[in-house]
Structure formats: C-alpha cells, structure tokens
Amino acid sequence: GVHGKSCVGQCGIDDHDQTACECNSLCETYGDCCDDFVSACKSCAGRCGEAYLYSKPCQCNDDCASHGNCCNDYDQECGGITSGPGLLSCVGRCGEAFNPANDCSCNTGCDSHSDCCSDYNDICGGGGGGATDGELRALSEQILAADVNGVGSQLTVDDQGQTSSSSNADEAPLPLLTVPESALSGPTIAALLALQDNYVADVAFDEDDTTEEMVEKDNFLDLIMATDVMNITEAFLQDKGLINRPLREVIDEIWFTQYSRSGGHVGSSGFEHSFVGELKGGQVSGFHN
C-alpha cells in the first residue's frame, strides 16, 4: 500500500499520521485511502461478527441489517440479511423501492400502506415535512382551480328519499348519479377507465401484468403528469423537500407496486384497492374513490 501501510487489521483506525494513508470512513472523502482499503475494509471477508465501530465504512455484524450499513458482501460472506424480516430501521434506506420481503418500508408510499419503519419520520423526514395547514389549504384551492379535466358540473345527483336505521324500505331505488357519456371521454378519465379491466378482483390470486396493461398504465401516468394539477403539486412537494425524485416515480410506486393482502399472493396494489375495488373472502374491499 501507500507508504508501505496496509489496511488489514486497521479498518476504522485513524492513526493521525498525516504522511501515511488511511483506513477509515473518511479516507475516500479526502482521497488518502491505502491501496487495499476497498478489499480490506469494504468487504466482510474475515470480519463477520466483529464489533461495531462508527469509523468503519461498512459493518459485518448481526445488527448491520437493521441499521442499513452492512457491507455489500455481508450476505455472501456472513450469511446475514440486508432485506426481509429483521430490517426495521430506515438508516441508509430512505427512498428505497418497496420490497414486500421487508418488515417495514422507508419510502413516500409507506404512510398510505401503513408499513413505515418506526424511525421513518426521524430518519427520512416523513410525516408532513414543513408544510403548514394554511399552505395545504392554499394548495388544495390552487389545484382545484387548475383541474380543467373535472366533470362534476356534468353529473346529476338524485338524493331521492331518506330512510332510517329501523326501516328496511328502499327510499332511493333509482341511481344516485346520472353520468353522461361526455363526462367519460376526457383524456385522463378515458385513460383511467382503460385500467379497470386490468385486475383480478380476488386478492387470493396473483396479478400478472401484460405488456398491454403496462402500456395502459404508462399512458395514464403520462397524461395525468402533463396536467397543471400534477405540475403544481410536484413543484410544491419539491419546494418543501418532501420528495427528492420525480413525482411520476413516486405515484407509480405508491399506486402500482403490487403486494399481498392474502396468504402471500401478490394480488393487490394501492390503485386497484382504492380505484377499482377488490374481493377478500367474498367481501368487497377497498373501493375508496
């Protein structure tokens, strides 16, 4: 190595010798790592089970998975886990893609899926960021005014009669809403309707996305992301530091990442559950829109 020094047995140690190379987590920042730093200190070869030391660039002990700081070859060398049950912290995991094998998640969709790790807010800044109630009210008014694809004015609502909890009489036998064809022909709504037949209703069956279905999904996302509603929303979220990647990617992950609601079968997604509805045990589930 540089100056004849090796990192073997020296990983994480700062000897304060300004003429020598280093083997700690800062050497890559300062460009003074010893020649064998990567092979000796960023690998778990010969290090499995060693005690934690903050200055080491990565760890090889039983706790590294929960802290998100395992070396890349931890699984291979130590037979450990870097995903799946036991991965309970968001340290080093903020924004990672949803993984159904993990006990909890650290992405912007975990709130809606109720699977955030307990330290998500502290580590990743989840839970509302710096947006005040007043700012959120102003945003909602702004995007409502910008929604040129809204069709509420075209719908007819027929409340009909009112019943009581003690009566079995149907006081509203007619449809609640009358929806003209023109209300369904707009580009975003038509693209939404095209997705309705892409799902198996029963959550006990695995979903199988076809190429045609993926094209329909991408077309829907392209169309909604081209609207002022989404442009305004994306700008707001970025300004508040609530997202650090394109909003389209965030929505794709939250709405269309598939997960299991029944016996390990990957047969559900946020979009299907909320916008299409599902069957679980013969009962209607979701359909929140």
Side-chain angles (χ1 to χ4, degrees):
V2 178
H3 303 293
K5 179 179 175 181
S6 170
C7 284
V8 175
Q10 301 295 312
C11 297
I13 297 175
D14 186 352
D15 59 10
H16 302 290
D17 182 355
Q18 296 183 357
T19 66
C21 57
E22 299 293 344
C23 302
N24 56 60
S25 57
L26 295 177
C27 74
E28 290 179 301
T29 301
Y30 292 106
D32 59 355
C33 298
C34 295
D35 289 345
D36 62 351
F37 171 73
V38 172
S39 60
C41 300
K42 300 192 79 171
S43 169
C44 283
R47 296 176 54 200
C48 297
E50 68 179 6
Y52 171 81
L53 183 63
Y54 76 94
S55 57
K56 293 180 181 179
C58 57
Q59 307 296 323
C60 302
N61 52 59
D62 292 340
D63 295 327
C64 70
S66 62
H67 290 289
N69 58 6
C70 296
C71 295
N72 289 336
D73 61 354
Y74 175 59
D75 276 357
Q76 177 181 347
E77 294 292 335
C78 306
I81 58 169
T82 54
S83 65
L87 195 58
L88 302 176
S89 172
C90 282
V91 174
R93 298 174 55 206
C94 296
E96 69 176 11
F98 171 74
N99 184 344
N102 291 341
D103 281 341
C104 59
S105 299
C106 303
N107 52 59
T108 52
C110 70
D111 276 327
S112 61
H113 292 153
S114 299
D115 68 343
C116 297
C117 295
S118 60
D119 60 356
Y120 172 64
N121 286 354
D122 294 333
I123 301 300
C124 304
T132 65
D133 288 346
E135 289 171 329
L136 292 174
R137 282 193 294 270
L139 173 66
S140 65
E141 293 296 331
Q142 187 179 8
I143 60 178
L144 179 62
D147 185 13
V148 297
N149 292 314
V151 295
S153 61
Q154 299 185 45
L155 308 183
T156 301
V157 180
D158 185 2
D159 294 328
Q160 302 169 66
Q162 181 175 344
T163 189
S164 65
S165 59
S166 60
S167 172
N168 292 325
D170 185 356
E171 302 294 344
L174 301 177
L176 173 64
L177 299 175
T178 300
V179 183
E181 287 296 322
S182 59
L184 305 178
S185 61
T188 55
I189 294 178
L192 173 69
L193 293 176
L195 303 179
Q196 299 293 303
D197 61 355
N198 290 356
Y199 300 97
V200 178
D202 197 324
V203 298
F205 291 87
D206 293 333
E207 295 286 354
D208 181 19
D209 292 331
T210 66
T211 300
E212 180 182 1
E213 290 170 349
M214 294 299 292
V215 169
E216 289 177 344
K217 182 203 75 170
D218 287 338
N219 179 57
F220 171 67
L221 289 173
D222 289 342
L223 287 169
I224 65 170
M225 291 310 304
T227 65
D228 287 341
V229 168
M230 287 302 188
N231 290 331
I232 292 169
T233 302
E234 182 170 36
F236 179 86
L237 294 174
Q238 290 176 339
D239 181 62
K240 294 299 179 182
L242 297 175
I243 59 173
N244 56 10
R245 53 185 171 139
L247 180 58
R248 188 189 193 282
E249 292 182 11
V250 177
I251 292 176
D252 194 354
E253 179 181 309
I254 294 174
W255 282 0
F256 295 104
T257 297
Q258 294 182 353
Y259 55 91
S260 175
R261 286 183 182 273
S262 175
H265 293 285
V266 183
S268 185
S269 68
F271 180 88
E272 179 187 6
H273 185 75
S274 298
F275 290 91
V276 182
E278 301 172 307
L279 295 176
K280 184 174 183 180
Q283 300 294 315
V284 174
S285 175
F287 206 55
H288 302 304
N289 66 321

